[in-house]
């Protein structure tokens, strides 16, 4: 048993702090493959600091001693890896029953150079030796590549991936194409240029789009896919799966990274549990490529405005003036996607948005500590082609949304939003007329949402309704059965939801029901067996939920659940149902969710 495995096995079962530490050390097994740890692992270890409150709440002396022993072993392993730099977690005794965690933050960014041995190990890992390559020639090419990479892990990864599986002469050609200039930022961008040039045209456009996001921004994959579906979709029914493949293609070239927050399988185009990150240098490469066109011909413009302070090169200072009020007189008829990153408690949408008649996607992300109050939403009313709106960490009411009267809006996403009081008196506004094309609504991490407004059940064009991680949601409207076109109902991690309305059994087009991690759910509709088109149910950690007898009427049903739910609810039904397929999913633990904090 190696040391990393030994540490994991000795962790305290049932203690939250030691469980988290066990998972982190599990990731640390990567250290033994080659002696360096990337920025991602260092960041993960830093994220362990919030567990201090859990540790301090422990009362069992034996549990604390085992936890201390576990951490001591972890320190030994980390210290034995000479080139590893991590936040080392120390213990300080504060009495009989309490321990405090404190940290020495030793940061290991990917700009830091690896030593010669570790750099070579990383390159060989990324791009193994070509078949039948003479050892001496191969070693010489390796030496030249490592010299140009200057020990930078990012360069080694990005430059190494295109070499994988290629003959040695291809390696030599790449090396000969590099100049001998010093490796500063310009030099690094020049070295990375071939990775961009080798991309297919559609991937070049997608890569350059990544430069539109903030530095170090943790981007949900669904944000990027919403943009790409509308900008590059060749038909009104373009599937998000194709654009997820674009992300996979860029990730395979190490031009961005995909970080799963939960499930590895992303059901039916649901990508909220997948983060996208990009190294700062790669973001600079994307921006650099976007700036190769003349200013007035560029497809992308990023404007950083703080109060009345505008950048000196703001479109050559010719198109814009020095205030929002004067800018409102300008028109932007060709803009198709608008991404607003704000940091404010109050934000009035600029009036010039109303001139963007081709605008298809609006994404507003608030990076401030509290939800931002949005005003001047009326500027969206006059946008005839607006199809997708995504709001993150803003304060808005459902009535505000209904009053937008957006005839072509297809998808509405509300993430970490605050709604305040839910209004039900909507007699003056008919939802089916106000939002006649709305097909999908996605509500995620909206903590004050305890119930839905009645008009939700009036938008009969809906095909997908996704409400996830809304812990106060306790009830769904009885009229939800009116959504006759609904194909997908996702209610993941709504822990206060105790039952589904009986009218859910009227959703005759429902194909997929996801109630995973609804820990408080106790029963399903009695007549759920009437849903002839229901072919998939996900119900992880729902073993306390009672299945009605009518569930036996469902045919060709695929159920995904944990082992306990399978044993308690479904084990005895396999011989009583036609083509029942129960798939037991292993519980996935990772610390990536802490990256959102």
């Amino acid at each position: 048993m190696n040391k990393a495995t030994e540490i994991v096995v000795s962790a305290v079962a049932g203690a939250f702090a030691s469980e988290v530490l066990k998972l982190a050390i599990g990731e640390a097994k990567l250290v033994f493959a080659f002696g360096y740890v990337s920025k991602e692992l260092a960041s993960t270890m830093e994220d362990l600091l919030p567990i201090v409150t859990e540790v301090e709440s422990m009362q069992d002396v034996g549990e604390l001693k085992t936890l201390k022993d576990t951490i001591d072993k972890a320190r030994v392993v980390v210290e034995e890896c000479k080139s590893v730099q991590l936040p080392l977690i120390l213990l300080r005794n504060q009495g009989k029953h309490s321990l405090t965690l404190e940290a020495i933050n030793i940061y290991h960014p990917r700009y830091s150079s690896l030593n010669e041995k570790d750099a070579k190990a990383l390159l060989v890992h990324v791009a193994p030796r070509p078949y039948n390559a003479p050892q001496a020639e191969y070693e010489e090419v390796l030496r030249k590549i490592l010299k140009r990479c200057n020990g930078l892990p990012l360069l080694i990864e990005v430059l190494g991936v295109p070499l994988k599986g290629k003959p040695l002469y291809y390696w030599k050609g790449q090396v000969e194409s590099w100049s001998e200039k010093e490796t500063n930022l310009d030099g690094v961008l020049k070295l990375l240029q071939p990775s961009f040039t080798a991309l297919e045209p559609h991937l070049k456009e997608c890569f350059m789009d990544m430069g539109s996001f903030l530095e170090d921004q943790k981007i949900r994959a669904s944000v990027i896919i919403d943009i790409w579906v509308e900008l590059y979709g060749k038909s009104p029914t373009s599937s998000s799966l194709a654009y997820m493949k674009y992300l996979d293609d860029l990730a395979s070239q190490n031009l961005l990274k995909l970080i799963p927050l939960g499930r590895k399988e992303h059901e039916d185009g649901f990508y909220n549990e997948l983060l996208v990150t990009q190294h700062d240098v790669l973001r600079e490469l994307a921006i650099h490529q976007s700036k190769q066109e003349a200013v007035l011909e560029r497809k992308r413009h990023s404007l950083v405005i703080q109060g009345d302070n505008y950048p000196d090169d703001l479109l050559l200072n010719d198109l814009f003036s020095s205030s929002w009020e004067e800018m409102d007189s300008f028109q932007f008829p060709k803009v198709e996607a608008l991404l607003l990153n704000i940091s404010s408690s109050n934000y009035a949408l600029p009036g010039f948005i109303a001139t963007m008649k081709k605008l298809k996607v609006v994404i507003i992300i608030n990076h401030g500590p509290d939800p931002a109050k949005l005003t001047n939403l009326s500027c969206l009313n006059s946008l005839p082609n607006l199809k997708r709106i995504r709001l993150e960490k803003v304060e808005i009411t459902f009535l505000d949304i209904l009053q937008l009267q957006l005839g072509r809006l297809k998808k509405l996403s509300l993430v970490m939003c605050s709604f305040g009081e839910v209004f039900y008196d909507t007699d003056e506004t008919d939802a089916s007329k106000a939002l006649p094309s709305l097909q999908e609504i996605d509500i995620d991490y909206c903590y004050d949402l305890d119930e839905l407004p009645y008009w939700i059940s009036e938008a009969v064009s809906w095909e997908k309704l996704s409400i996830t991680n809304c812990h106060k949601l306790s009830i769904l409207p009885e009229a939800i059965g009116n959504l006759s076109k609904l194909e997908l109902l996702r209610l993941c991690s709504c822990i206060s939801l105790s039952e589904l309305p009986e009218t859910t059994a009227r959703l005759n087009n429902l194909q997929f029901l996801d109630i995973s991690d609804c820990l408080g759910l106790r029963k399903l509709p009695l007549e759920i067996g009437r849903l002839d088109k229901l072919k998939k149910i996900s119900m992880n950690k729902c073993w306390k939920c009672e299945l009605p007898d009518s569930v036996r009427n469902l045919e060709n049903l695929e159920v995904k659940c944990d082992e306990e739910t399978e044993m308690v609810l479904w084990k005895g039904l396999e011989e009583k149902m036609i083509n029942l397929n129960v798939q037991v999913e292993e519980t996935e633990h990772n610390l990536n969710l802490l990256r959102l904090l």
Side-chain angles (χ1 to χ4, degrees):
M1 181 181 293
N2 62 43
K3 294 181 180 179
T5 305
E6 181 182 353
I7 291 173
V8 172
V9 171
S10 65
V12 183
F16 172 79
S18 57
E19 180 71 13
V20 172
L21 185 62
K22 179 175 66 175
L23 298 174
I25 295 174
E27 292 191 38
K29 288 188 290 184
L30 296 173
V31 174
F32 297 94
F34 37 81
Y36 91 103
V37 175
S38 68
K39 178 180 177 181
E40 285 74 14
L41 181 54
S43 175
T44 298
M45 297 294 284
E46 286 180 334
D47 287 334
L48 288 175
L49 295 181
I51 69 173
V52 59
T53 55
E54 292 288 339
V55 175
E56 290 179 337
S57 68
M58 291 180 180
Q59 298 299 318
D60 187 277
V61 176
E63 191 175 65
L64 289 174
K65 182 181 183 303
T66 307
L67 175 59
K68 180 182 183 303
D69 292 342
T70 299
I71 294 177
D72 286 343
K73 290 181 181 180
R75 291 183 61 196
V76 171
V77 172
V78 171
E79 289 168 359
E80 286 182 356
C81 300
K82 296 180 180 179
S83 64
V84 177
Q85 294 176 308
L86 292 171
L88 300 182
I89 300 176
L90 305 180
L91 286 154
R92 182 173 72 248
N93 196 339
Q94 288 192 326
K96 186 175 181 180
H97 297 304
S98 63
L99 292 171
T100 295
L101 294 178
E102 49 185 23
I104 302 174
N105 293 316
I106 309 175
Y107 192 56
H108 180 79
R110 297 175 77 191
Y111 288 120
S112 300
S113 296
L114 301 176
N115 61 42
E116 183 178 349
K117 178 181 177 181
D118 294 336
K120 182 177 179 179
L122 176 58
L123 179 56
V124 172
H125 175 76
V126 172
R129 175 184 172 184
Y131 179 70
N132 280 341
Q135 184 66 30
E137 293 183 38
Y138 170 66
E139 290 290 341
E140 177 63 17
V141 175
L142 277 185
R143 185 189 65 78
K144 291 181 179 179
I145 295 174
L146 292 172
K147 180 181 178 181
R148 294 305 303 136
C149 291
N150 200 27
L152 290 176
L154 170 70
L155 277 181
I156 294 172
E157 292 175 356
V158 173
L159 297 182
V161 166
L163 301 177
K164 183 176 181 180
K166 298 295 178 62
L168 189 61
Y169 71 81
Y170 182 88
W171 291 44
K172 292 180 178 179
Q174 288 292 94
V175 171
E176 290 175 2
S177 69
W178 298 340
S179 69
E180 294 299 324
K181 293 182 180 179
E182 181 181 359
T183 307
N184 51 26
L185 179 59
D186 290 337
V188 169
L189 294 181
K190 189 167 184 178
L191 286 174
L192 294 175
Q193 180 65 39
S195 297
F196 174 80
T197 303
L199 294 175
E200 297 180 26
H202 66 280
L203 290 180
K204 288 181 179 179
E205 294 293 331
C206 292
F207 176 75
M208 287 189 287
D209 288 339
M210 296 301 298
S212 302
F213 294 92
L214 298 182
E215 184 176 332
D216 295 324
Q217 186 171 351
K218 300 172 181 66
I219 315 156
R220 291 180 183 267
S222 50
V223 175
I224 301 171
I225 291 174
D226 277 348
I227 294 174
W228 289 351
V229 166
E230 296 302 334
L231 291 187
Y232 309 126
K234 297 179 181 179
S235 71
T237 59
S238 294
S239 169
S240 60
L241 296 176
Y243 303 99
M244 183 62 231
K245 184 179 183 303
Y246 291 178
L247 283 175
D248 285 330
D249 290 342
L250 291 174
S252 70
Q253 299 299 314
N254 276 334
L255 295 175
L256 52 80
K257 287 193 175 295
L258 301 178
I259 304 172
L261 296 180
R263 306 177 188 177
K264 293 179 182 177
E265 181 179 354
H266 301 281
E267 306 258 15
D268 298 275
F270 183 69
Y271 303 111
N272 278 0
E273 295 187 345
L274 185 66
L275 284 185
V276 181
T277 63
Q278 189 175 49
H279 194 285
D280 297 344
V281 173
L282 293 172
R283 177 177 176 271
E284 289 293 335
L285 177 64
I287 294 172
H288 173 74
Q289 295 298 329
S290 296
K291 289 182 177 180
Q292 297 308 299
E293 299 174 323
V295 173
L296 298 181
E297 296 177 1
R298 292 177 190 168
K299 297 179 181 178
R300 303 161 188 85
H301 290 289
S302 296
L303 311 178
V304 181
I305 303 172
Q306 296 179 336
D308 290 329
N309 297 321
Y310 290 76
D312 294 334
D313 62 345
L314 193 58
L315 291 190
L316 303 180
N317 288 324
D318 290 332
L319 296 183
F320 291 93
S321 56
S322 60
S323 71
W324 283 118
E325 289 77 11
E326 294 181 16
M327 285 179 64
D328 284 347
S329 64
F330 287 93
Q331 296 189 4
F332 304 88
K334 296 183 179 181
V335 175
E336 294 185 327
L338 177 65
L339 172 60
L340 288 176
N341 287 291
I342 65 175
S343 182
S344 173
S345 57
N346 292 281
Y347 186 78
L349 297 184
F352 60 74
I353 291 179
T355 69
M356 300 176 178
K357 300 302 182 183
K358 290 187 177 181
L359 192 63
K360 298 177 181 178
V361 186
V362 171
I363 296 173
I364 302 175
I365 302 176
N366 174 32
H367 299 272
D370 300 308
K373 175 64 177 177
L374 289 184
T375 56
N376 196 32
L377 290 170
S378 60
C379 68
L380 302 177
N381 291 357
S382 59
L383 303 176
N385 292 296
L386 187 57
K387 296 179 181 178
R388 295 175 186 249
I389 295 178
R390 184 182 181 94
L391 306 177
E392 292 195 16
K393 201 186 286 189
V394 303
E395 182 181 335
I396 191 170
T397 70
F398 282 108
L399 196 56
D400 292 334
I401 297 169
L402 195 61
Q403 291 175 343
L404 288 177
Q405 303 276 336
L406 296 171
R408 298 192 66 182
L409 188 68
K410 295 194 303 183
K411 182 179 178 181
L412 175 65
S413 299
L414 305 167
V415 180
M416 292 184 286
C417 292
S418 175
F419 300 110
E421 184 179 355
V422 176
F423 292 95
Y424 291 90
D425 185 10
T426 59
D427 293 340
E428 297 180 1
T429 306
D430 186 341
S432 62
K433 295 180 180 179
L435 302 169
S437 302
L438 191 62
Q439 297 175 0
E440 181 176 355
I441 187 166
D442 178 7
I443 303 176
D444 192 24
Y445 285 103
C446 295
Y447 296 115
D448 70 344
L449 180 68
D450 54 5
E451 53 185 323
L452 299 175
Y454 182 83
W455 67 259
I456 290 284
S457 304
E458 294 180 343
V460 293
S461 60
W462 285 13
E463 297 176 0
K464 296 182 180 181
L465 174 58
S466 177
I467 307 173
T468 55
N469 301 294
C470 296
H471 296 164
K472 288 187 178 181
L473 182 68
S474 59
I475 189 172
L476 297 179
E478 287 290 332
I480 194 172
N482 296 337
L483 302 178
S484 58
K485 295 183 179 180
L486 196 67
E487 298 175 357
L488 181 150
L489 178 59
R490 179 181 287 109
L491 302 166
C492 298
S493 298
C494 295
I495 59 177
S496 297
L497 192 64
S498 61
E499 63 180 16
L500 303 184
E502 290 297 329
T503 54
T504 308
R506 301 206 318 251
L507 300 174
N508 295 325
N509 275 302
L510 191 65
Q511 300 173 22
F512 179 29
L513 174 64
D514 191 346
I515 51 176
S516 290
D517 301 306
C518 289
L519 305 182
L521 196 64
R522 293 296 177 263
K523 65 176 184 176
L524 296 180
L526 292 176
E527 297 300 324
I528 193 172
R530 295 171 52 188
L531 300 177
D532 296 336
K533 295 184 179 180
L534 184 62
K535 298 304 177 186
K536 187 184 299 185
I537 299 179
S538 287
M539 53 185 311
N540 195 49
K541 297 181 182 178
C542 291
W543 61 274
K544 293 183 179 181
C545 180
E546 180 182 347
L547 295 181
D549 291 339
S550 69
V551 76
R552 302 179 185 184
N553 298 330
L554 298 174
E555 299 181 3
N556 303 311
L557 181 66
E558 176 184 315
V559 177
K560 292 188 177 183
C561 60
D562 60 293
E563 185 175 2
E564 190 168 16
T565 301
E566 189 260 350
M567 290 296 296
V568 174
L569 299 184
W570 296 99
K571 191 67 173 178
L573 295 177
E574 292 178 339
E575 297 180 357
K576 300 176 182 179
M577 297 178 62
I578 298 177
N579 294 330
L580 174 63
N581 178 17
V582 180
Q583 299 182 17
V584 175
E585 296 183 318
E586 292 185 7
T587 301
E588 296 182 22
H589 295 289
N590 67 56
L591 302 175
N592 292 326
L593 187 60
L594 296 175
R595 295 169 187 251
L596 289 175
L597 300 178

